[in-house]
Amino acid sequence: MLELTMAAVSGAETGAGATAGMLMAETPSEPGAVLCVGRDRNVCRLVTPDDWLFVSRTHLEFRCGSDGAWSVRWLRGSNPDPASEVRVVSGGTARALAYGGSAPLARGGSGEVVIQDRSGPRSVNVGYFHEG
């Protein structure tokens, strides 16, 4: 089972950071299962605000492999250079995720995938828990 919790955070609203919304999704760890994050309500289970253009229509894809292990992939958008940065935080360590790249999520682990706007104090924080 993979559980995701998404918070859209904007520091511009209060100066201290305000959460614009909290969403949750979960799916069993079955080979081929997919959960997407982005602005497209027709494709994504976790949807960011429509005007947050630093997030692609389909930005992140969480996919379950044939062995039941999950990974996250930053899908390439229509622009050659992204308007955001993505990092995976797990076990106290943050590592950048390359544009178009992917990273495994540890079984029985939890962490966060952060989409950071390059032009302002906005981020999308997707917390995850992958049952072991």
Side-chain angles (χ1 to χ4, degrees), residues 1 3 16 22 29-30 32 53 55 69-70 94 99 109-110 112 118:
M1 176 78 66
E3 298 174 2
M22 184 76 77
S29 293
E30 298 172 353
L53 301 180
V55 177
W70 285 87
Y99 189 40
S110 63
E112 185 174 44
R118 285 186 171 170

Side-chain angles (χ1 to χ4, degrees), residues 72-110:
V72 60
R73 183 168 60 126
W74 181 5
L75 302 172
R76 292 186 71 86
S78 57
N79 295 323
D81 296 317
S84 62
E85 296 174 355
V86 175
R87 64 186 177 280
V88 178
V89 182
S90 179
T93 303
R95 63 188 187 277
L97 187 60
Y99 189 40
S102 63
L105 304 179
R107 283 183 189 256
S110 63

Side-chain angles (χ1 to χ4, degrees), residues 1-6 23-30 33-36 45-46 62 70 127-129 131:
M1 176 78 66
L2 180 71
E3 298 174 2
L4 300 177
T5 305
M6 183 186 83
L23 301 170
M24 295 177 67
E26 65 181 30
T27 192
S29 293
E30 298 172 353
V34 175
L35 274 172
C36 293
R45 296 258 313 266
L46 295 176
F62 291 84
W70 285 87
Y128 67 85
F129 174 72
E131 285 185 1

Side-chain angles (χ1 to χ4, degrees), residues 37 44 76:
V37 177
C44 301
R76 292 186 71 86

